PDB file of all heavy atoms in Angstrom:
ATOM      1  N   ALA A  51     -10.238   2.022  -8.727  1.00 94.00           N
ATOM      2  CA  ALA A  51     -11.578   2.524  -9.036  1.00 94.00           C
ATOM      3  C   ALA A  51     -12.290   1.708 -10.113  1.00 94.00           C
ATOM      4  O   ALA A  51     -13.453   1.321  -9.948  1.00 94.00           O
ATOM      5  CB  ALA A  51     -11.508   3.995  -9.437  1.00 94.00           C
ATOM      6  N   GLU A  52     -11.590   1.431 -11.205  1.00 92.00           N
ATOM      7  CA  GLU A  52     -12.249   0.721 -12.304  1.00 92.00           C
ATOM      8  C   GLU A  52     -12.645  -0.696 -11.910  1.00 92.00           C
ATOM      9  O   GLU A  52     -13.665  -1.228 -12.383  1.00 92.00           O
ATOM     10  CB  GLU A  52     -11.336   0.682 -13.533  1.00 92.00           C
ATOM     11  CG  GLU A  52     -10.032  -0.066 -13.307  1.00 92.00           C
ATOM     12  CD  GLU A  52      -9.165  -0.113 -14.560  1.00 92.00           C
ATOM     13  OE1 GLU A  52      -9.571  -0.766 -15.531  1.00 92.00           O
ATOM     14  OE2 GLU A  52      -8.088   0.505 -14.556  1.00 92.00           O
ATOM     15  N   HIS A  53     -11.870  -1.315 -11.036  1.00 94.00           N
ATOM     16  CA  HIS A  53     -12.171  -2.679 -10.610  1.00 94.00           C
ATOM     17  C   HIS A  53     -13.361  -2.720  -9.648  1.00 94.00           C
ATOM     18  O   HIS A  53     -14.148  -3.666  -9.659  1.00 94.00           O
ATOM     19  CB  HIS A  53     -10.946  -3.302  -9.942  1.00 94.00           C
ATOM     20  CG  HIS A  53      -9.737  -3.359 -10.817  1.00 94.00           C
ATOM     21  ND1 HIS A  53      -9.611  -4.240 -11.878  1.00 94.00           N
ATOM     22  CD2 HIS A  53      -8.592  -2.627 -10.807  1.00 94.00           C
ATOM     23  CE1 HIS A  53      -8.443  -4.060 -12.473  1.00 94.00           C
ATOM     24  NE2 HIS A  53      -7.804  -3.087 -11.838  1.00 94.00           N
ATOM     25  N   LEU A  54     -13.470  -1.697  -8.813  1.00 94.00           N
ATOM     26  CA  LEU A  54     -14.512  -1.702  -7.787  1.00 94.00           C
ATOM     27  C   LEU A  54     -15.909  -1.482  -8.359  1.00 94.00           C
ATOM     28  O   LEU A  54     -16.894  -1.713  -7.662  1.00 94.00           O
ATOM     29  CB  LEU A  54     -14.209  -0.638  -6.723  1.00 94.00           C
ATOM     30  CG  LEU A  54     -13.034  -0.973  -5.793  1.00 94.00           C
ATOM     31  CD1 LEU A  54     -12.760   0.177  -4.842  1.00 94.00           C
ATOM     32  CD2 LEU A  54     -13.297  -2.248  -5.004  1.00 94.00           C
ATOM     33  N   ASN A  55     -15.997  -1.065  -9.617  1.00 91.00           N
ATOM     34  CA  ASN A  55     -17.312  -0.861 -10.220  1.00 91.00           C
ATOM     35  C   ASN A  55     -18.154  -2.124 -10.202  1.00 91.00           C
ATOM     36  O   ASN A  55     -19.382  -2.064 -10.139  1.00 91.00           O
ATOM     37  CB  ASN A  55     -17.164  -0.374 -11.677  1.00 91.00           C
ATOM     38  CG  ASN A  55     -16.663   1.058 -11.742  1.00 91.00           C
ATOM     39  OD1 ASN A  55     -16.837   1.818 -10.793  1.00 91.00           O
ATOM     40  ND2 ASN A  55     -16.041   1.425 -12.852  1.00 91.00           N
ATOM     41  N   SER A  56     -17.485  -3.274 -10.279  1.00 91.00           N
ATOM     42  CA  SER A  56     -18.222  -4.537 -10.358  1.00 91.00           C
ATOM     43  C   SER A  56     -18.002  -5.433  -9.136  1.00 91.00           C
ATOM     44  O   SER A  56     -18.266  -6.628  -9.182  1.00 91.00           O
ATOM     45  CB  SER A  56     -17.817  -5.287 -11.630  1.00 91.00           C
ATOM     46  OG  SER A  56     -16.411  -5.487 -11.661  1.00 91.00           O
ATOM     47  N   ILE A  57     -17.510  -4.838  -8.054  1.00 96.00           N
ATOM     48  CA  ILE A  57     -17.269  -5.608  -6.830  1.00 96.00           C
ATOM     49  C   ILE A  57     -18.108  -5.017  -5.696  1.00 96.00           C
ATOM     50  O   ILE A  57     -18.085  -3.806  -5.481  1.00 96.00           O
ATOM     51  CB  ILE A  57     -15.765  -5.579  -6.445  1.00 96.00           C
ATOM     52  CG1 ILE A  57     -14.919  -6.233  -7.546  1.00 96.00           C
ATOM     53  CG2 ILE A  57     -15.524  -6.284  -5.114  1.00 96.00           C
ATOM     54  CD1 ILE A  57     -13.412  -6.133  -7.310  1.00 96.00           C
ATOM     55  N   GLN A  58     -18.846  -5.867  -4.991  1.00 96.00           N
ATOM     56  CA  GLN A  58     -19.673  -5.373  -3.889  1.00 96.00           C
ATOM     57  C   GLN A  58     -18.791  -4.980  -2.699  1.00 96.00           C
ATOM     58  O   GLN A  58     -17.803  -5.653  -2.397  1.00 96.00           O
ATOM     59  CB  GLN A  58     -20.685  -6.436  -3.451  1.00 96.00           C
ATOM     60  CG  GLN A  58     -21.808  -6.636  -4.444  1.00 96.00           C
ATOM     61  CD  GLN A  58     -23.078  -7.144  -3.767  1.00 96.00           C
ATOM     62  OE1 GLN A  58     -23.441  -6.709  -2.674  1.00 96.00           O
ATOM     63  NE2 GLN A  58     -23.743  -8.074  -4.431  1.00 96.00           N
ATOM     64  N   ILE A  59     -19.185  -3.910  -2.030  1.00 96.00           N
ATOM     65  CA  ILE A  59     -18.458  -3.451  -0.845  1.00 96.00           C
ATOM     66  C   ILE A  59     -19.179  -3.947   0.400  1.00 96.00           C
ATOM     67  O   ILE A  59     -20.389  -3.748   0.563  1.00 96.00           O
ATOM     68  CB  ILE A  59     -18.353  -1.906  -0.821  1.00 96.00           C
ATOM     69  CG1 ILE A  59     -17.679  -1.405  -2.109  1.00 96.00           C
ATOM     70  CG2 ILE A  59     -17.566  -1.454   0.405  1.00 96.00           C
ATOM     71  CD1 ILE A  59     -16.286  -1.927  -2.349  1.00 96.00           C
ATOM     72  N   LEU A  60     -18.420  -4.570   1.279  1.00 96.00           N
ATOM     73  CA  LEU A  60     -18.988  -5.193   2.487  1.00 96.00           C
ATOM     74  C   LEU A  60     -18.806  -4.332   3.732  1.00 96.00           C
ATOM     75  O   LEU A  60     -18.991  -4.801   4.843  1.00 96.00           O
ATOM     76  CB  LEU A  60     -18.322  -6.555   2.721  1.00 96.00           C
ATOM     77  CG  LEU A  60     -18.460  -7.570   1.589  1.00 96.00           C
ATOM     78  CD1 LEU A  60     -17.542  -8.744   1.820  1.00 96.00           C
ATOM     79  CD2 LEU A  60     -19.911  -8.033   1.472  1.00 96.00           C
ATOM     80  N   GLY A  61     -18.429  -3.066   3.554  1.00 89.00           N
ATOM     81  CA  GLY A  61     -18.167  -2.194   4.690  1.00 89.00           C
ATOM     82  C   GLY A  61     -16.684  -2.015   4.901  1.00 89.00           C
ATOM     83  O   GLY A  61     -15.860  -2.373   4.058  1.00 89.00           O
ATOM     84  N   LYS A  62     -16.350  -1.444   6.051  1.00 83.00           N
ATOM     85  CA  LYS A  62     -14.947  -1.190   6.373  1.00 83.00           C
ATOM     86  C   LYS A  62     -14.288  -2.456   6.934  1.00 83.00           C
ATOM     87  O   LYS A  62     -14.959  -3.363   7.427  1.00 83.00           O
ATOM     88  CB  LYS A  62     -14.842  -0.039   7.384  1.00 83.00           C
ATOM     89  CG  LYS A  62     -15.244   1.326   6.799  1.00 83.00           C
ATOM     90  CD  LYS A  62     -14.286   1.777   5.718  1.00 83.00           C
ATOM     91  CE  LYS A  62     -14.672   3.117   5.096  1.00 83.00           C
ATOM     92  NZ  LYS A  62     -14.392   4.249   5.950  1.00 83.00           N
ATOM     93  N   GLU A  63     -12.966  -2.448   6.887  1.00 77.00           N
ATOM     94  CA  GLU A  63     -12.187  -3.627   7.247  1.00 77.00           C
ATOM     95  C   GLU A  63     -12.518  -4.162   8.630  1.00 77.00           C
ATOM     96  O   GLU A  63     -12.569  -5.374   8.856  1.00 77.00           O
ATOM     97  CB  GLU A  63     -10.696  -3.272   7.164  1.00 77.00           C
ATOM     98  CG  GLU A  63      -9.764  -4.449   7.163  1.00 77.00           C
ATOM     99  CD  GLU A  63      -8.337  -4.012   6.884  1.00 77.00           C
ATOM    100  OE1 GLU A  63      -7.712  -3.399   7.760  1.00 77.00           O
ATOM    101  OE2 GLU A  63      -7.855  -4.271   5.769  1.00 77.00           O
ATOM    102  N   GLU A  64     -12.765  -3.248   9.581  1.00 76.00           N
ATOM    103  CA  GLU A  64     -12.950  -3.686  10.968  1.00 76.00           C
ATOM    104  C   GLU A  64     -14.335  -4.282  11.229  1.00 76.00           C
ATOM    105  O   GLU A  64     -14.554  -4.885  12.285  1.00 76.00           O
ATOM    106  CB  GLU A  64     -12.688  -2.527  11.938  1.00 76.00           C
ATOM    107  CG  GLU A  64     -13.637  -1.340  11.782  1.00 76.00           C
ATOM    108  CD  GLU A  64     -13.179  -0.328  10.755  1.00 76.00           C
ATOM    109  OE1 GLU A  64     -12.234  -0.629  10.003  1.00 76.00           O
ATOM    110  OE2 GLU A  64     -13.776   0.762  10.705  1.00 76.00           O
ATOM    111  N   GLN A  65     -15.267  -4.137  10.289  1.00 84.00           N
ATOM    112  CA  GLN A  65     -16.617  -4.650  10.543  1.00 84.00           C
ATOM    113  C   GLN A  65     -17.321  -5.039   9.234  1.00 84.00           C
ATOM    114  O   GLN A  65     -18.249  -4.368   8.792  1.00 84.00           O
ATOM    115  CB  GLN A  65     -17.456  -3.621  11.303  1.00 84.00           C
ATOM    116  CG  GLN A  65     -18.706  -4.226  11.937  1.00 84.00           C
ATOM    117  CD  GLN A  65     -19.360  -3.248  12.903  1.00 84.00           C
ATOM    118  OE1 GLN A  65     -19.107  -2.057  12.879  1.00 84.00           O
ATOM    119  NE2 GLN A  65     -20.204  -3.784  13.783  1.00 84.00           N
ATOM    120  N   PRO A  66     -16.923  -6.152   8.626  1.00 93.00           N
ATOM    121  CA  PRO A  66     -17.594  -6.580   7.398  1.00 93.00           C
ATOM    122  C   PRO A  66     -19.034  -7.010   7.675  1.00 93.00           C
ATOM    123  O   PRO A  66     -19.360  -7.478   8.766  1.00 93.00           O
ATOM    124  CB  PRO A  66     -16.744  -7.766   6.931  1.00 93.00           C
ATOM    125  CG  PRO A  66     -16.064  -8.264   8.163  1.00 93.00           C
ATOM    126  CD  PRO A  66     -15.844  -7.068   9.030  1.00 93.00           C
ATOM    127  N   ASN A  67     -19.889  -6.851   6.683  1.00 95.00           N
ATOM    128  CA  ASN A  67     -21.315  -7.179   6.817  1.00 95.00           C
ATOM    129  C   ASN A  67     -21.506  -8.680   6.604  1.00 95.00           C
ATOM    130  O   ASN A  67     -21.492  -9.179   5.477  1.00 95.00           O
ATOM    131  CB  ASN A  67     -22.105  -6.367   5.785  1.00 95.00           C
ATOM    132  CG  ASN A  67     -23.597  -6.523   5.956  1.00 95.00           C
ATOM    133  OD1 ASN A  67     -24.101  -7.611   6.183  1.00 95.00           O
ATOM    134  ND2 ASN A  67     -24.317  -5.411   5.846  1.00 95.00           N
ATOM    135  N   LEU A  68     -21.701  -9.405   7.697  1.00 96.00           N
ATOM    136  CA  LEU A  68     -21.810 -10.863   7.625  1.00 96.00           C
ATOM    137  C   LEU A  68     -23.061 -11.309   6.869  1.00 96.00           C
ATOM    138  O   LEU A  68     -23.038 -12.324   6.167  1.00 96.00           O
ATOM    139  CB  LEU A  68     -21.804 -11.459   9.031  1.00 96.00           C
ATOM    140  CG  LEU A  68     -20.466 -11.389   9.780  1.00 96.00           C
ATOM    141  CD1 LEU A  68     -20.623 -11.845  11.218  1.00 96.00           C
ATOM    142  CD2 LEU A  68     -19.411 -12.229   9.072  1.00 96.00           C
ATOM    143  N   GLU A  69     -24.137 -10.543   7.004  1.00 96.00           N
ATOM    144  CA  GLU A  69     -25.371 -10.905   6.294  1.00 96.00           C
ATOM    145  C   GLU A  69     -25.149 -10.863   4.781  1.00 96.00           C
ATOM    146  O   GLU A  69     -25.600 -11.738   4.042  1.00 96.00           O
ATOM    147  CB  GLU A  69     -26.521  -9.968   6.685  1.00 96.00           C
ATOM    148  CG  GLU A  69     -27.036 -10.138   8.102  1.00 96.00           C
ATOM    149  CD  GLU A  69     -26.134  -9.498   9.142  1.00 96.00           C
ATOM    150  OE1 GLU A  69     -25.244  -8.706   8.751  1.00 96.00           O
ATOM    151  OE2 GLU A  69     -26.302  -9.812  10.338  1.00 96.00           O
TER     152      GLU A  69
END
Side-chain angles (χ1 to χ4, degrees):
E52 62 179 293
H53 301 287
L54 288 176
N55 288 336
S56 56
I57 298 175
Q58 288 207 40
I59 303 300
L60 301 169
K62 291 294 179 75
E63 195 172 72
E64 62 273 11
Q65 196 169 18
N67 187 317
L68 290 173
E69 290 78 13

